[in-house]
Amino acid sequence: MERTELNTLGEFGLIDRIKSKFTNQNAETIKGIGDDAAVIDVGDKYMLVTTDILFEGIHFDLSYTPLRHLGYKAVAVNVSDIAAMNGIAKQITVTIGLSNRISVEAIDELYEGIKFACESYNVDLIGGDTSASASGFVVSITATGFVDKDKIVYRNGAKPNDILCVTGDLGAAYFGLQVLEREKQVYLANPSMQPELTEKEYLVGKILKPEARTDIIHELNELGVVPSSMIDISDGLASDLLHICTQSGVGAMVFEDKLPIEDITMLTATEFNVSPITAALNGGEDYQLLFTVKQSDFDKIQKVSDVLPIGYMTQDTAVQLALNSGGTAAIKAQGWNHLR
Ligand SMILES: Nc1ncnc2c1ncn2[C@@H]1O[C@H](COP(=O)(O)OP(=O)(O)O)[C@@H](O)[C@H]1O
Ligand SMILES: Cc1ncc(C[n+]2csc(CCOP(=O)(O)OP(=O)(O)O)c2C)c(N)n1
Ligand SMILES: [Mg+2]
């Protein structure tokens, strides 16, 4: 029998392959595979369902990830996927795979973080599953949420001339991870060395304690603005913008000088000898919302301080970065890819 290596398809190629083998059989299934959450018709509203799994060694390293933060983050990334559909998360289930290295106190700490997130995002923990894991610690969360039917936002609704917006700075989480990895190596080489992280607090905070931007969903709703398309940035602006563009059949022009990058991110980029633009485009785990609005909504969104216009959508399907030096460069999905 033929054998195809996973890396020839990649994560998204594999998902497309799985998707192509299924057709939905229920009229209530409005949207299945292919967006930040599935959409189910439950009467007067749409119910949203999303799931994310976090693996030790792939998504987190227990030597520098407090379990309290891991619990909070596992909830936040799911709430973020519900927000990316313009919805509000209401319930979660939590599944854990435990290795024998994990103590009861450690699980308590994980659930303290989960509880803190439940309180801050106003969601209920309604169930889950518990198992042993042969390959390290695993936490997987499924979230449900709701949205008014006329307010649902997909990845595929962007139109030429729509304005492209992001809800906060990019690239910080990437350097937070680099800093933690560097300190880990320093510690391994000399365990008496204590990590020096005070200057990098902002960056480390972004990787360990990301927030879902539910605040923006509420603000847009109050302003009566429904984005034409939306996604949350987990894999990096480039990769996630390309999802909007391919699904919407449009291109985009992003301005390099509009990319929101904090000073500390710039400084740390120099330290690590990595281009801050590359980190902003491909670093991933920013968990900001990336969305498009009609030009007629521009005045309204300018009132929201955290909504930053970074470009516009184009009829031509090229996805480009307008460079400060003049000219343009193609934006490619070089972001985080597990199966590369
Ligand atoms: N193994 C799988 N089987 C079926 N659907 C999947 C699988 N993995 C991912 N998906 C679906 O593919 C889409 C994209 O997934 P993903 O890139 O993980 O989204 P996100 O980055 O928003 O978490 C989603 O609709 C998700 O539910
Ligand atoms: C130990 C460790 N290695 C690598 C990373 C970086 N990293 C892990 S997941 C991820 C991106 C998003 O992951 P994915 O599972 O694709 O999330 P999804 O798109 O499904 O929401 C990144 C940049 C990390 N946070 N920790
Ligand atoms: Mg998403």
Side-chain angles (χ1 to χ4, degrees):
M1 204 163 108
E2 203 181 330
R3 179 187 158 88
T4 311
E5 297 304 327
L6 275 175
N7 62 11
T8 59
L9 279 184
E11 180 183 347
F12 303 127
L14 182 64
I15 293 172
D16 283 344
R17 184 185 172 94
I18 296 169
K19 183 179 173 187
S20 71
K21 296 182 181 177
F22 289 80
T23 43
N24 297 326
Q25 305 178 62
N26 296 293
E28 297 86 351
T29 310
I30 304 298
K31 176 91 198 182
I33 298 170
D35 219 301
D36 292 283
V39 180
I40 301 163
D41 191 338
V42 288
D44 59 338
K45 284 190 182 249
Y46 284 144
M47 186 168 90
L48 305 165
V49 184
T50 185
T51 192
D52 265 310
I53 192 161
L54 303 179
F55 283 98
E56 181 180 355
I58 302 289
H59 297 89
F60 59 89
D61 182 324
L62 285 179
S63 62
Y64 53 72
T65 309
L67 280 162
R68 192 176 293 111
H69 292 340
L70 179 64
Y72 192 92
K73 180 170 175 173
V75 178
V77 300
N78 279 280
V79 173
S80 177
D81 274 325
I82 298 288
M85 308 300 292
N86 206 26
I88 298 297
K90 297 279 181 190
Q91 290 89 16
I92 56 165
T93 63
V94 176
T95 295
I96 48 178
L98 301 170
S99 68
N100 54 14
R101 286 183 297 119
I102 309 280
S103 67
V104 172
E105 288 74 20
I107 307 297
D108 284 348
E109 213 187 302
L110 177 82
Y111 274 85
E112 262 175 50
I114 291 175
K115 184 165 185 208
F116 192 57
C118 283
E119 285 163 5
S120 81
Y121 295 116
N122 202 10
V123 303
D124 301 326
L125 170 64
I126 57 163
D129 198 13
T130 305
S131 168
S133 161
S135 59
F137 190 39
V138 184
V139 51
S140 175
I141 296 195
T142 297
T144 55
F146 295 87
V147 58
D148 289 341
K149 286 184 174 175
D150 57 347
K151 306 249 168 70
I152 182 83
V153 179
Y154 297 103
R155 293 175 177 179
N156 70 8
K159 297 280 180 302
N161 302 319
D162 282 357
I163 297 157
L164 179 68
C165 302
V166 69
T167 57
D169 69 291
L170 303 172
Y174 173 80
F175 286 113
L177 182 61
Q178 301 314 306
V179 167
L180 288 171
E181 286 285 349
R182 180 176 69 187
E183 294 305 317
K184 180 185 176 182
Q185 295 314 321
V186 170
Y187 177 81
L188 288 175
N190 182 355
S192 67
M193 295 280 281
Q194 284 304 307
E196 190 30 85
L197 296 173
T198 33
E199 267 173 47
K200 311 290 190 193
E201 220 173 328
Y202 180 77
L203 306 176
V204 170
K206 288 283 175 182
I207 186 85
L208 294 181
K209 298 182 284 182
E211 291 289 358
R213 299 309 305 270
T214 47
D215 54 331
I216 301 287
I217 300 306
H218 288 297
E219 285 192 72
L220 292 177
N221 194 25
E222 272 158 35
L223 288 168
V225 174
V226 179
S228 49
S229 71
M230 184 148 58
I231 191 168
D232 73 330
I233 306 181
S234 57
D235 293 324
L237 173 69
S239 174
D240 291 317
L241 173 59
L242 276 150
H243 285 310
I244 287 187
C245 289
T246 24
Q247 292 202 24
S248 301
V250 297
M253 183 66 77
V254 177
F255 297 101
E256 181 184 354
D257 68 343
K258 298 279 183 210
L259 287 178
I261 303 175
E262 283 291 319
D263 290 349
I264 185 68
T265 307
M266 286 286 189
L267 263 166
T268 313
T270 313
E271 216 176 292
F272 280 89
N273 205 11
V274 173
S275 149
I277 300 297
T278 304
L281 289 175
N282 301 309
E285 292 195 282
D286 302 297
Y287 295 106
Q288 297 296 343
L289 295 169
L290 179 71
F291 63 89
T292 56
V293 292
K294 302 189 294 284
Q295 291 207 8
S296 54
D297 282 329
F298 187 58
D299 285 346
K300 286 188 197 160
I301 56 139
Q302 274 194 307
K303 293 187 192 120
V304 189
S305 59
D306 274 2
V307 169
L308 313 163
I310 58 168
Y312 62 91
M313 310 313 278
T314 57
Q315 182 103 49
D316 183 297
T317 52
V319 183
Q320 301 182 81
L321 187 66
L323 302 170
N324 291 343
S325 58
T328 57
I331 293 181
K332 301 204 183 79
Q334 293 161 319
W336 171 260
N337 190 337
H338 303 297
L339 307 179
R340 200 159 28 194

